[in-house]
Amino acid sequence: MKDLFSVKDKTVLVTGSSRGIGYSIARGFAAAGSVVLINGTSGESVKKAVKQLLSEGLRVHGIAFDVTNPAEVEKNIEKIENSVGPVDVLVNNAGIHRRAPLEDMTMEEWNKVVEADLTSVFIVSKAVAKYMITRRAGRIINITSLNAEAARPTIANYCAAKGGLKMLTKSMATEWGKYNILTNAIGPGYILTDLTKPLSDDPSFDAWVKSEVPLQRWGQPEDLAGAAIFLASEASKYINGHTIYVDGGWQACL
Ligand code: NAP
């Protein structure tokens, strides 16, 4: 029982972990004793994040690749499996926004977001699951959003992608449970990162978040690490296909 929540010595790949929520989840796993792989498209940002975490005495490696590029993903997953170790836990966190009113949204804005926030999870999970299936073990955690449940103007591409990701999570749980691969999701609420800076910089939106969220504050990236560690540990070994919303209670009063 004492190791119920342990993730010690697990190899954990967190996509999009050079900053923001991914960085805090990666840092949380590493602080709990995991070996963590830091990812992003910018090699410079990945290096900077790795340097910081190494200076804290944590076990991390950097691996820059674009999660929307199937050939790059295949090559880099193979590299991780052969040089760092078997991926025990995959956190599909990388994501982007391209905001525009629906009637003005371009095909490029639509496609970019669906590719980065939904298709990438199919690409990376398939590449990692190939190895997890042979081992009959694995945990996959998809970072969705409150916007998988509730829409907001100017982010129809994002809402569609995250709603799709909620169902992809259930599909992965349904098809890969027989291989002892457990797939769940975390749906963050309003968290202070670069992605939400345009919103937190807007005084009326900032006031709206603080008045609507029962905890009366924005979430911090560190608020997500606990749920991710729980979903990777023995403590959650019969939980498969669910989403945990880490939103300060916002969804409770929608
Ligand atoms: P962020 O601060 O903008 O960080 C995004 C991370 O993803 C960066 O490390 C970025 O690195 C990486 N990334 C983006 N596209 C990538 C690609 N194609 N391949 C590899 N890495 C890529 O974002 P965040 O706020 O932490 O959000 C993280 C996740 O949480 C996203 O899925 C987002 O939708 C979700 N989420 C966030 C909030 C929130 O309030 N912040 C709420 C709900 C859900 P590079 O720039 O180097 O590529």
Side-chain angles (χ1 to χ4, degrees), residues 18-19 21 41-42 66-67 93 144 158 162 189 191 193 195-196:
S18 56
R19 59 173 193 271
I21 291 173
T41 55
S42 153
D66 182 343
V67 292
N93 165 81
T144 62
Y158 185 83
K162 293 295 188 181
I191 314 295
T193 68
L195 197 70
T196 49

Side-chain angles (χ1 to χ4, degrees), residues 92-232:
N92 286 305
N93 165 81
I96 60 167
H97 260 306
R98 293 286 182 275
R99 297 175 176 91
L102 185 51
E103 63 275 22
D104 299 329
M105 192 172 280
T106 63
M107 277 311 292
E108 210 223 338
E109 286 163 337
W110 175 271
N111 285 336
K112 276 266 168 218
V113 169
V114 172
E115 256 195 335
D117 296 9
L118 175 60
T119 311
S120 73
V121 178
F122 164 68
I123 294 170
V124 181
S125 301
K126 203 175 150 211
V128 173
K130 187 172 90 183
Y131 296 94
M132 289 178 167
I133 287 169
T134 61
R135 292 192 284 270
R136 295 292 195 269
R139 298 290 178 103
I140 300 178
I141 301 163
N142 297 328
I143 305 301
T144 62
S145 170
L146 267 185
N147 298 124
E149 302 294 340
R152 216 173 43 73
T154 75
I155 56 166
N157 45 4
Y158 185 83
C159 294
K162 293 295 188 181
L165 183 52
K166 181 176 84 169
M167 283 312 296
L168 178 59
T169 302
K170 293 188 185 202
S171 297
M172 287 158 69
T174 300
E175 295 205 33
W176 293 343
K178 63 178 175 290
Y179 302 121
N180 192 31
I181 299 171
L182 279 65
T183 309
N184 290 288
I186 295 174
Y190 288 101
I191 314 295
L192 282 172
T193 68
D194 291 349
L195 197 70
T196 49
K197 197 161 180 339
L199 306 179
S200 56
D201 281 351
D202 171 354
S204 64
F205 198 93
D206 178 58
W208 179 80
V209 167
K210 288 170 181 161
S211 66
E212 290 300 312
V213 173
L215 291 187
Q216 299 189 326
R217 66 168 176 89
W218 286 77
Q220 295 295 334
E222 306 80 77
D223 293 330
L224 279 302
I229 288 172
F230 167 64
L231 289 175

